[in-house]
Amino acid sequence: MTDTISSKMLILGSGPAGLTAAIYAARAGLEPIVIQGMQPGGQLTITTDVENYPGFRDTIQGPWLMEEMQAQAEHVGAKMVWDQIVDVDLSQRPFRLKGDGGTTYVGETLVIATGAQAKWLNMPSEEHLKGRGVSACATCDGFFYRGKKVVVIGGGNTAVEEALYMTNHSPEVILIHRRDHLRAEKILQKRLFAHPNIKVMWNRAVGSFVAGGEPEKLVALELVDASGAPAERIEVDGAFVAIGHAPATELFRGHLELDSDNYLRVDVGSTRTSVPGVFACGDVMDKTYRQAVTAAGTGCMAALDAEKFLAEAEFEEAQHAPEPETVAG
Ligand code: NAP
């Protein structure tokens, strides 16, 4: 027998967007169910220091912040379930989501907060060495490279933070960037350039990841210059790809409108998607700001938009309900 779980509001994803939506929806009496995916808590659970979430003078830890948000959501009545959604039916309300264990989730509204995932360079040698020297998360895997030489690839905040983080483990960190300047925030750049254990290689990209040893693992990188011509080979023990993120929207392709970069399209100034009753918040719909605090902000908006939608739908239904029959007495 397969289970069916129903709610006025299903929330898919449990990062700052999903959990903020849950807090607002629970406080509005909507008894939301939060379906946590593969990474409960979202990207902040693989971050270490957080210094820009308002309300905390001292540096806080990403995983701790997410534990607190989840505890707050549960405290006000949100329910958490862990499942991997494999199929959605948004063709009519209530919406139906299918979990990989066979559970069906039925929601009068749906808030999508599935976030984004790390991008890869998508080259065969990278694929071959994933988990054997090539990673997309220094805070997850950095520990394995204690005392070793590593590179971080990318020029944004993530790359710079990962390079700085790796200095906790590694005596030699090289940041490899394809251009001659970084897009990371100035405060992070300042820390990076001031760090004695970090070297930056400008105008370089990875031509291939080189395998060696027994068992086979990453031993070197073949680099190319800005024109794509072979440049140098550097011996390394670990490489962290930190070139940005892609929205987790595959599940909704063909069901909801996506933009040209695969982000969920929402009406300007709201979280309404192309299907009435389905709302999107956080990194899955925001390719501009992508901050924990903006994700939380749009999570709040999604809950308020969904609450308003439900109130209007209930009003409409009451208007169209058949007149109760009067019994002649
Ligand atoms: P990002 O800002 O999009 O930066 C991606 C970097 O990777 C860019 O420097 C880009 O190079 C490079 N890149 C992209 N594709 C590449 C490829 N195929 N080969 C080589 N290099 C490539 O991504 P992000 O650093 O993950 O940051 C995403 C968002 O999250 C940003 O809004 C950021 O501010 C935010 N964030 C904030 C914090 C924080 O506030 N503490 C921490 C992490 C992330 P180009 O510069 O040449 O385009």
Side-chain angles (χ1 to χ4, degrees):
M1 202 187 77
T2 54
D3 295 336
T4 298
I5 296 175
S6 301
S7 172
K8 283 193 171 176
M9 189 192 291
L10 296 176
I11 299 172
L12 195 51
S14 54
L19 291 177
T20 305
I23 291 165
Y24 274 77
R27 295 190 75 252
L30 299 179
E31 300 177 344
I33 292 173
V34 180
I35 306 169
Q36 304 185 305
M38 292 286 273
Q39 193 179 64
Q43 290 177 58
L44 272 183
T45 58
I46 54 168
T47 301
T48 47
D49 296 353
V50 176
E51 294 176 353
N52 53 8
Y53 199 85
F56 304 96
R57 189 183 342 186
D58 298 325
T59 302
I60 54 169
Q61 299 298 303
W64 174 83
L65 180 61
M66 296 322 299
E67 276 168 31
E68 290 297 308
M69 275 192 213
Q70 179 170 332
Q72 185 181 0
E74 288 177 314
H75 177 70
V76 291
K79 290 219 163 46
M80 306 286 148
V81 297
W82 186 90
D83 206 341
Q84 193 59 23
I85 299 301
V86 292
D87 198 13
V88 297
D89 179 0
L90 309 180
S91 60
Q92 55 179 4
R93 284 183 57 235
F95 308 117
R96 301 176 86 81
L97 277 56
K98 180 66 88 26
D100 71 351
T103 303
T104 299
Y105 300 89
V106 180
E108 288 176 41
T109 56
L110 171 64
V111 171
I112 300 171
T114 45
Q117 288 148 359
K119 277 190 196 162
W120 293 92
L121 291 165
N122 292 326
M123 45 179 71
S125 59
E126 174 192 61
E127 187 59 37
H128 181 62
L129 289 168
K130 270 185 197 169
R132 290 182 292 160
V134 179
S135 163
C137 178
T139 38
C140 318
D141 301 331
F143 183 78
F144 301 119
Y145 299 93
R146 276 218 301 213
K148 306 258 173 82
K149 177 176 171 182
V150 300
V151 301
V152 176
I153 300 140
N157 276 0
T158 304
V160 173
E161 285 191 343
E162 299 231 318
L164 288 165
Y165 173 77
M166 280 312 297
T167 61
N168 295 323
H169 299 296
S170 174
E172 194 176 355
V173 179
I174 302 173
L175 185 83
I176 296 175
H177 184 40
R178 64 182 178 182
R179 292 190 295 143
D180 62 359
H181 60 276
L182 302 172
R183 71 168 66 223
E185 285 170 56
K186 290 285 176 277
I187 185 169
L188 288 173
Q189 293 195 29
K190 227 168 139 182
R191 276 186 220 159
L192 181 96
F193 297 139
H195 204 292
N197 297 357
I198 302 178
K199 178 179 145 194
V200 183
M201 290 180 81
W202 302 105
N203 300 308
R204 290 288 183 269
V206 179
S208 72
F209 295 88
V210 182
E214 189 58 53
E216 215 175 33
K217 62 180 180 57
L218 177 75
V219 293
L221 296 185
E222 297 282 2
L223 300 180
V224 294
D225 66 17
S227 71
E232 57 272 274
R233 173 187 167 113
I234 51 172
E235 314 298 316
V236 292
D237 302 296
F240 294 94
V241 179
I243 60 166
H245 293 85
T249 50
E250 213 36 57
L251 194 55
F252 305 105
R253 187 173 293 284
H255 300 276
L256 294 171
E257 273 180 30
L258 308 182
D259 73 7
S260 54
D261 294 321
N262 295 324
Y263 286 79
L264 283 180
R265 207 185 275 286
V266 293
D267 292 347
V268 175
S270 93
T271 61
R272 290 188 301 268
T273 69
S274 52
V275 170
V278 179
F279 304 87
C281 51
D283 285 10
V284 76
M285 50 69 88
D286 166 25
K287 62 179 164 194
T288 309
Y289 303 104
R290 296 180 291 186
Q291 305 297 304
V293 67
T294 49
T298 53
C300 161
M301 287 166 64
L304 297 180
D305 286 345
E307 190 188 343
K308 183 162 172 264
F309 173 88
L310 281 170
E312 284 170 2
E314 275 166 25
F315 180 75
E316 282 289 313
E317 277 157 28
Q319 293 286 320
H320 293 103
E323 292 284 322
E325 278 181 31
T326 45
V327 181

